[in-house]
Amino acid sequence: MTISDEELSSINRAIHTRYGMDFSNYEPLSFKRRVARIIDKYELESSLGLWRKLINDKDFIFIFIDEITVGLTEMFRNSNFWIKLRKDILPDLQEKDHFSVWHAGCSTGEEVYSMGIMLSEENMLQKAKLVATDLNSQSVKAAQEGIFSDYYIKTYHANYTTAGGKKALTDYYTTVEGNMHFNRLDNSNFHFYQHNLVKDGMNQQFDVIFCRNVMIYFDEVLKMKALRLFYDSLKDDGYFIIGYYDALPNDYRQFFELEDPTTKIFRKNPVLHLAD
């Protein structure tokens, strides 16, 4: 199914008028594909059918949001990044009495548990606060449960080993009914909740912010809005980490300085230079 610009605009206006939510700055091609998938999945026949559903069924907006924001992730993805994190960033955090990490757009939580495992192996988890947020409420719920299908078990074990894991991944989970339950990892310092990067603020500051492969769905306007939120939420000289497929606007330099181009690690620029 092909969604026209006019149809997409009509759907966005309906959502904004009915629910006060603005999706107009999401990357259009990706957004169109996801809207088309929703129409097909829920047998709505056309964009007009989706429009009517959003207007008349107040509960469908939550389904719509969950479908639009579904993410893909895996444990210890991009092993060179995790090696760099362990080698260069964790020693910096080790010097602190306590520190906090925000996983923005955490999806189903694989990255959060990867970070928790690495911190545990460096005897740092007890002084860490890990905050994980996502717009997708179902993803947040799944992340909080920490249960992953054993369909990925070979991939996760291989990623963990390549990323320099010091133990066996089985030390952190038990297998229940074909799923990996990460219940052997102390998650008392993990905090999960729903959060909208587009419209919600953040009332705390962090030493590290992850936002990996989330902004690929944002256009330039939305990216700059998110970058300002991350800048305000990051402590001076804190680390900001994006995904391999994320591309930042040229104006990102007013907020962050590139620390390592290979692993997409940035540092907060302590002096904000607003573009003219």
Side-chain angles (χ1 to χ4, degrees):
M1 176 178 292
T2 301
I3 306 296
S4 70
D5 291 341
E6 183 178 357
E7 288 172 319
L8 192 67
S9 178
S10 178
I11 290 169
N12 279 330
R13 286 197 302 272
I15 294 172
H16 188 265
T17 301
R18 184 78 166 84
Y19 304 102
M21 304 183 69
D22 187 2
F23 285 92
S24 61
N25 289 125
Y26 276 68
E27 199 283 316
L29 291 179
S30 176
F31 194 61
K32 286 179 181 180
R33 286 195 297 269
R34 295 187 178 214
V35 166
R37 185 184 63 198
I38 292 171
I39 293 171
D40 181 63
K41 181 176 180 178
Y42 294 94
E43 300 180 347
L44 299 173
E45 297 185 356
S46 66
S47 61
L48 179 59
L50 174 59
W51 184 90
R52 287 172 175 164
K53 186 72 171 175
L54 287 166
I55 291 295
N56 297 319
D57 185 350
K58 65 179 182 180
D59 293 326
F60 190 75
I61 186 62
F62 301 107
I63 295 174
F64 180 86
I65 291 170
D66 287 346
E67 292 286 352
I68 288 295
T69 61
V70 64
L72 297 175
T73 184
E74 63 184 41
M75 297 193 75
F76 294 101
R77 169 180 273 179
N78 307 129
S79 58
N80 60 331
F81 162 73
W82 294 99
I83 292 170
K84 175 76 172 178
L85 181 72
R86 192 190 295 264
K87 178 176 179 291
D88 293 335
I89 296 181
L90 294 196
D92 190 10
L93 298 178
Q94 182 72 271
E95 301 298 318
K96 302 176 181 289
D97 293 332
H98 53 81
F99 60 91
S100 57
V101 180
W102 179 17
H103 294 264
C106 68
S107 189
T108 45
E110 285 85 341
E111 179 184 86
V112 186
Y113 287 92
S114 298
M115 184 66 172
I117 288 170
M118 183 168 286
L119 291 174
S120 178
E121 292 183 351
E122 299 299 324
N123 296 314
M124 298 171 61
L125 186 55
Q126 69 280 1
K127 62 178 182 179
K129 177 182 181 181
L130 303 183
V131 174
T133 67
D134 200 278
L135 177 61
N136 188 318
S137 61
Q138 294 302 311
S139 291
V140 173
K141 181 180 179 181
Q144 192 163 18
E145 291 174 346
I147 301 174
F148 309 123
S149 170
D150 67 354
Y151 174 83
Y152 303 104
I153 193 167
K154 290 184 178 179
T155 299
Y156 291 177
H157 277 256
N159 289 356
Y160 171 72
T161 300
T162 307
K166 295 184 175 181
K167 298 182 180 180
L169 193 59
T170 49
D171 289 339
Y172 301 103
Y173 72 85
T174 58
T175 302
V176 180
E177 298 180 349
N179 294 314
M180 296 177 285
H181 291 236
F182 279 81
N183 50 12
R184 292 180 174 175
L185 179 68
D186 180 10
N187 63 357
S188 58
N189 292 343
F190 290 43
H191 306 270
F192 300 90
Y193 57 91
Q194 190 175 13
H195 179 271
N196 186 339
L197 289 174
V198 178
K199 59 184 295 188
D200 296 339
M202 178 57 67
N203 59 2
Q204 53 189 303
Q205 286 195 311
F206 301 89
D207 298 276
V208 182
I209 296 177
F210 287 77
C211 187
R212 304 182 76 204
N213 302 324
V214 174
M215 291 185 289
I216 54 176
Y217 305 116
F218 294 179
D219 72 359
E220 302 297 285
V221 174
L222 206 54
K223 285 179 182 178
M224 288 302 293
K225 187 172 183 178
L227 289 180
R228 181 58 194 254
L229 172 64
F230 294 138
Y231 180 89
D232 292 339
S233 304
L234 195 62
K235 295 179 182 178
D236 287 347
D237 210 30
Y239 294 94
F240 175 55
I241 302 164
I242 64 174
Y244 279 24
Y245 302 107
D246 288 317
L248 297 185
N250 290 331
D251 287 343
Y252 83 82
R253 294 176 181 84
Q254 64 185 279
F255 300 115
F256 304 104
E257 298 173 351
L258 183 60
E259 177 88 355
D260 183 71
T262 303
T263 53
K264 296 287 190 78
I265 298 174
F266 297 78
R267 298 292 288 271
K268 179 175 180 176
N269 184 345
V271 180
L272 177 60
H273 298 286
L274 292 175
D276 294 334

